[in-house]
Structure formats: C-alpha cells, structure tokens
Amino acid sequence: KFAIHDIEKKDYANYVITDSQEIDCDTLDNSLQSLEINSLDYLKIDTQGAELEILKGMNKYTPLLIKLEAHVNSMYENVPKWNELINHIFEKNYIVIDWRNVTGHSTRIPAEMDMIFIPDFNNETGRKLITNQKEKFLSLLLIFGQIKILKVIMKKLGIVNSEIEKIEDLYFN
C-alpha cells in the first residue's frame, strides 16, 4: 500500500499502529445542533479516510462549499472506495468543481486529493440554495479561486455582478 504513495521502505515504521483508543462519536448534525449552529456555509473534511462516515451524518445541513480529501488508493485500512464517497456526495445534490493532488504518488492519478464540491446548479434545489445565499456563495468561490466556474454559474442563474465580471482568472488563462 505504501509503494504507490512514494513512501520509502525505511519510513514504513512511521506508519505502524502503536496504540489504539476507543472514543465516542456523534453525527455532524447532532454535534452542530448541540452547539446551536443552524447553518453551515463551508465544510472541510480531512479525516484520513473517515470522510464518508462524516458525510453520512450530515442530513440537515447543506453547505455552499464542501472541501474534502478523497483517497483513490488509500494507505489506511478499511477506507471506503473513493467512488462510494463521490456517489454519496452526488446523491446529496453536489457536483465536483475541482480536485488537486495532495501527496506524492507513483501513478498518473493522485493517490489522495482535495476535492471541492458545490450544490448542483443544474437543478432547482441547487439553484435555490445558491441564489438564497448568493453573497456567501460568491465569496466562497472567490476565496477558493473558482472564478471561471463562478462566472459560468452567475450567467446560468442570471446573477449580475459587474465587479466579479472584471476579475481576470489567471489560473485558466
């Protein structure tokens, strides 16, 4: 498992489990409700393969942007296949707009990657979520450098913002 991640054999010992602890866990919904948080704009999950379990505990909340780490070829045991993670988030009405490699690897595809998801603006549910919180949505996409897709979404949803139209996307140009 480690060879695909460009981890040298001499460093394998750094990944040996030396202790184990059991902890009580709760769902994301229950945790946020107990903190009296009523909405969630941005969710970042990087839990070394437990991302799917966390997403399964998110039912009430619909963030405008989700960034998570997906393991295509995980070095960790019992990590769900990455397509299960992607299918689950698609079923929650999100689409992927970006992915970037986060580790060294021996394949042409990333072994692990950060992925960004937004509500599916191609259907009524996603459009409504975006338009009801358009200023937050615009801000999040600007923060994450998603200017080109932001302009596409704005045009599709009829959102006019002359300041954003002036921004040049240096990443895609």
Side-chain angles (χ1 to χ4, degrees):
K1 286 187 172 185
F2 294 131
I4 203 166
H5 291 269
D6 283 343
I7 297 171
E8 295 182 28
K9 193 165 189 151
K10 69 177 181 64
D11 294 324
Y12 286 4
N14 294 335
Y15 297 90
V16 173
I17 298 172
T18 58
D19 192 13
S20 179
Q21 300 284 325
E22 285 199 30
I23 59 170
D24 292 328
C25 296
D26 204 345
T27 66
L28 185 60
D29 277 4
N30 289 342
S31 296
L32 293 174
Q33 286 173 5
S34 72
L35 295 169
E36 299 180 11
I37 296 174
N38 297 320
S39 67
L40 188 62
D41 302 323
Y42 166 63
L43 176 64
K44 166 71 167 124
I45 308 172
D46 182 351
T47 53
Q48 308 317 114
E51 290 80 7
L52 179 58
E53 290 306 311
I54 291 168
L55 287 171
K56 286 180 178 179
M58 182 183 79
N59 296 308
K60 175 185 173 195
Y61 297 89
T62 51
L64 294 169
L65 189 139
I66 299 172
K67 183 175 181 181
L68 58 82
E69 185 176 276
H71 295 240
V72 177
N73 293 299
S74 185
M75 71 175 85
Y76 305 108
E77 292 181 17
N78 304 316
V79 173
K81 291 179 174 38
W82 83 293
N83 62 304
E84 294 175 52
L85 175 66
I86 303 308
N87 288 343
H88 183 80
I89 205 161
F90 283 167
E91 289 171 10
K92 288 192 170 285
N93 199 42
Y94 288 87
I95 60 171
V96 65
I97 60 166
D98 195 5
W99 64 42
R100 298 181 190 225
N101 178 36
V102 294
T103 61
H105 51 87
S106 302
T107 66
R108 288 185 174 173
I109 62 166
E112 298 170 14
M113 61 187 147
D114 278 338
M115 300 182 78
I116 296 177
F117 297 86
I118 60 171
D120 187 346
F121 58 91
N122 294 304
N123 64 49
E124 186 60 31
T125 303
R127 286 191 296 268
K128 193 179 289 184
L129 183 60
I130 291 168
T131 55
N132 287 344
Q133 302 178 77
K134 74 178 169 197
E135 295 304 318
K136 289 179 182 178
F137 182 77
L138 297 175
S139 296
L140 284 166
L141 265 61
L142 287 172
I143 289 167
F144 285 94
Q146 300 297 325
I147 298 163
K148 188 170 185 178
I149 189 68
L150 176 57
K151 289 179 180 182
V152 168
I153 295 167
M154 288 173 53
K155 184 176 182 180
K156 183 167 182 118
L157 301 183
I159 299 171
V160 178
N161 185 312
S162 59
E163 293 303 312
I164 292 175
E165 286 303 320
K166 293 178 192 175
I167 296 173
E168 184 179 348
D169 191 339
L170 300 175
Y171 182 77
F172 280 106
N173 292 333

